[in-house]
Amino acid sequence: APQHIHTMSYVRTDNSDDLTGIPMGIPVGTPHSHAQSHATIGEALRFAGGFGRFQWRVLGATIFVWQCNCFCALLPVLLLPRLETEWALSDADLALVNSAYFVGQFWGQLLVGPASDRFGRRACVCLLVPASYLSGLAHFACGQLKQLVAVRAVSGAVSGGMVIAVSVVAMELCPADRRAFVTSVGFAVGWVGGLLLLVGVDWLAADRPWQWLAVAGLVPTPLALAYLPESPHFLLAAGRADAALAALRRIARVNGVSL
């Protein structure tokens, strides 16, 4: 049966567990208490079930995003041997295609952090998921080296930005003592999955045009939208206390707790 928690205390963001430094609160609560007390976002997440079913879903979404990041980063292992034959590319051309992705990834990670602080973590994820598909499909329009270099740079920016946005919101949806677990397991399992996906796609698309390789690895990314609501941390820092409480209640509901 769900655990029932009465809403009589407040969440604040003015301590080390929540670094916004904005002294505002939202109601969460403690059982059988009518005295107003204070709790951090981390404590509110523990009231909402701690590391429960909802957080395992968040971990799964994080794994899928890291898997796609690994696939996109290592795609040249499959892509460049084909292009070397079809387009008669030199070693310098191959290095340029490979480097363009990581230059784009650098700028994507650099820009998405401030953007997610201003517009929201989920807003950035909602933008980057379709952008990842568009950048993958753009490979079909590449008919020369310059176009491919540009598309690979955009793919890197989108992939790098999505990793930052998803990793931040995943940590903010988990209690503080489990954030390292979520990020480390998400990265490790995601990259192993990405390597397996890379081998599987290469086998399945062996007789297809090389552009299919750039699209196939992006299939799991919509899961990031399905299981990642907006961060209560961001909502509270933005002055949207009601929305933050609604996000906490959604987490509690999935975890089998009534908040």
Side-chain angles (χ1 to χ4, degrees):
Q3 305 172 19
H4 294 279
I5 299 176
H6 300 287
T7 61
M8 290 305 299
S9 63
Y10 288 87
V11 176
R12 69 171 185 270
T13 62
D14 58 348
N15 55 49
S16 59
D17 191 42
D18 199 326
L19 301 178
T20 59
I22 300 175
M24 61 178 66
I26 61 174
V28 284
T30 55
H32 312 298
S33 172
H34 294 282
Q36 291 186 353
S37 60
H38 289 80
T40 65
I41 286 290
E43 289 168 343
L45 287 169
R46 286 194 289 275
F47 290 146
F51 196 87
R53 189 182 302 115
F54 179 89
Q55 282 73 21
W56 282 107
R57 292 181 180 180
V58 169
L59 176 59
T62 306
I63 288 172
F64 281 122
V65 169
W66 274 111
Q67 174 180 295
C68 294
N69 178 263
C70 170
F71 183 91
C72 292
L74 299 181
L75 181 62
V77 174
L78 306 179
L79 191 63
L80 296 184
R82 294 194 184 190
L83 292 178
E84 187 176 15
T85 302
E86 293 182 21
W87 290 8
L89 299 180
S90 65
D91 290 342
D93 295 333
L94 298 177
L96 181 61
V97 172
N98 201 20
S99 299
Y101 176 86
F102 293 101
V103 171
Q105 189 173 62
F106 169 80
W107 284 105
Q109 293 179 343
L110 188 66
L111 296 175
V112 166
S116 66
D117 286 339
R118 178 166 185 176
F119 303 108
R121 286 79 162 106
R122 182 174 170 81
C124 287
V125 175
C126 288
L127 176 65
L128 291 169
V129 166
S132 67
Y133 277 96
L134 290 175
S135 63
L137 293 172
H139 286 79
F140 284 93
C142 295
Q144 52 183 303
L145 179 62
K146 291 181 179 180
Q147 294 173 336
L148 181 60
V149 168
V151 168
R152 289 297 293 162
V154 172
S155 296
V158 171
S159 177
M162 186 177 298
V163 163
I164 292 296
V166 170
S167 296
V168 169
V169 73
M171 286 191 291
E172 292 180 352
L173 291 170
C174 296
D177 60 344
R178 304 304 294 272
R179 291 171 185 169
F181 170 77
V182 169
T183 53
S184 58
V185 171
F187 171 77
V189 177
W191 268 74
V192 171
L195 291 170
L196 295 175
L197 180 64
L198 196 71
V199 174
V201 168
D202 185 41
W203 179 70
L204 291 173
D207 298 326
R208 294 181 178 273
W210 61 266
Q211 290 90 341
W212 284 102
L213 297 174
V215 178
L218 301 173
V219 173
T221 51
L223 291 174
L225 288 178
Y227 293 131
L228 294 176
E230 186 55 88
S231 162
H233 175 114
F234 169 79
L235 293 170
L236 191 58
R240 298 164 59 188
D242 291 341
L245 180 56
L248 288 168
R249 284 176 171 160
R250 174 185 173 184
I251 295 170
R253 183 170 59 253
V254 175
N255 286 341
V257 176
S258 179
L259 185 64

